[in-house]
Amino acid sequence: MAEFTLPKNSVLIKGKTFTAPAGATNIRRFEVYRWDPESGENPRIDAFELDMDSCGPMVLDAILKIKNEVDSTLTFRRSCREGVCGSCAMNINGKNSLACTKAIDSYPGTIKIYPLPHMPVIKDLVPDTTHFFAQYASIKPWIETQTPPPADSERLQSKEDREKLDGLYDCILCACCSTSCPSYWWNSERYLGPAVLLQAYRWLVDSRDENAGERLDELEDPFKLYRCHTIMNCTDTCPKGLNPAKAIAETKKLLVKRKLG
């Protein structure tokens, strides 16, 4: 039986514990992944006990409270606080999600917060998404045309064609789905992953795009597309309720239809 061990400098160690203020009665415990590449130390798990009577309702509120009132060195991304930008994507109690849309009360007991899995960590809760966005750029996420634009109007589409984009354009590229996919964990250098493949399908079905043939040529690869094994983690974890697995299946169908003529 194969046994896998982490490198010594990757093994988690017990970190600091920050207790709640004296007199606090409504206390929740948060365990947060910490790693500073400049320190030379192993990653650790710090524990924070927070007074919920002076904290907002969302997990992101708790993280901001830690940053503002307990430990200003805690590093993470956030922006819109409305589930639109995707910046605060992280792993909360074992499932990828957006910290700004997850209520603290929806989790019983201790809340454990880690960066998105299977991505290099820059610091604390900040993953390195350079490769992820390079893959996104590789699918050419813009309209490509062969014909000149209409002289006196935009490139229009019917309501029916527009509806085909629902559930696709809504993707905010938070990477929750891709980093929950075992196939992406093991083949991320070549497999594009659920988020990028959903975006690729979005342009394949856009009636205004005139380059579907070349787009399909790029995707017809043993690794780029076909490493998807329909595990469905992507659809289960998407914080926007989208279905990347279906988009991938529809792309495979387009390739089969093209081959059959």
Side-chain angles (χ1 to χ4, degrees):
M1 179 176 177
E3 294 186 8
F4 299 94
T5 57
L6 289 170
K8 289 184 178 180
N9 61 352
S10 296
V11 177
L12 285 169
I13 61 174
K14 186 177 180 180
K16 306 173 184 176
T17 297
F18 300 85
T19 57
T25 57
N26 184 15
I27 299 172
R28 291 295 300 270
R29 181 183 173 93
F30 297 81
E31 295 182 357
V32 183
Y33 178 95
R34 307 297 306 277
W35 182 65
D36 181 357
E38 296 181 357
S39 71
E41 299 177 354
N42 278 31
R44 67 180 192 273
I45 301 297
D46 284 354
F48 301 87
E49 296 179 354
L50 302 184
D51 180 5
M52 301 313 298
D53 290 333
S54 61
C55 181
M58 299 300 182
V59 173
L60 182 60
D61 291 314
I63 296 171
L64 287 167
K65 184 176 178 67
I66 293 170
K67 172 86 171 176
N68 295 335
E69 301 177 16
V70 184
D71 186 350
S72 62
T73 66
L74 178 61
T75 304
F76 56 95
R77 292 191 180 109
R78 56 99 177 180
S79 183
C80 73
R81 299 185 67 162
E82 297 290 341
V84 174
C85 71
S87 299
C88 65
M90 51 191 73
N91 186 279
I92 306 169
N93 274 16
K95 187 171 183 178
N96 296 346
S97 192
L98 303 176
C100 67
T101 64
K102 301 304 291 186
I104 294 170
D105 287 344
S106 66
Y107 297 100
T110 299
I111 296 179
K112 300 180 179 182
I113 305 171
Y114 290 78
L116 291 176
H118 294 271
M119 276 189 171
V121 176
I122 295 175
K123 185 180 180 183
D124 293 343
L125 300 176
V126 179
D128 186 347
T129 56
T130 302
H131 179 63
F132 174 76
F133 282 106
Q135 289 180 312
Y136 175 57
S138 75
I139 64 158
K140 300 180 180 179
W142 53 78
I143 291 175
E144 294 194 314
T145 59
Q146 309 295 333
T147 60
D152 56 354
S153 70
E154 301 176 15
R155 296 182 186 272
L156 303 179
Q157 62 183 166
S158 67
K159 289 184 178 180
E160 292 75 18
D161 284 338
R162 167 59 186 79
E163 288 175 357
K164 294 177 182 178
L165 305 182
D166 289 343
L168 303 173
Y169 80 90
D170 322 53
C171 173
I172 58 175
L173 294 169
C174 63
C176 283
C177 63
S178 291
T179 54
S180 71
C181 173
S183 292
Y184 191 72
W185 297 346
W186 309 129
N187 300 287
S188 59
E189 291 303 313
R190 298 175 65 182
Y191 175 48
L192 292 178
V196 173
L197 288 172
L198 179 141
Q199 290 286 339
Y201 181 66
R202 176 254 179 276
W203 296 104
L204 282 169
V205 296
D206 194 319
S207 61
R208 299 164 296 178
D209 189 88
E210 299 171 347
N211 205 24
E214 184 177 317
R215 293 183 186 278
L216 287 172
D217 289 342
E218 287 294 320
L219 292 173
E220 194 165 15
D221 178 276
F223 276 86
K224 285 183 180 180
L225 173 66
Y226 289 102
R227 289 301 96 182
C228 172
H229 299 301
T230 325
I231 298 169
M232 303 295 289
N233 280 8
C234 54
T235 300
D236 177 63
T237 199
C238 177
K240 304 295 287 185
L242 308 184
N243 193 344
K246 180 181 179 182
I248 295 170
E250 293 295 336
T251 302
K252 292 176 180 178
K253 284 167 63 177
L254 289 175
L255 284 165
V256 171
K257 287 179 181 179
R258 185 175 73 161
K259 188 169 292 186
L260 295 177

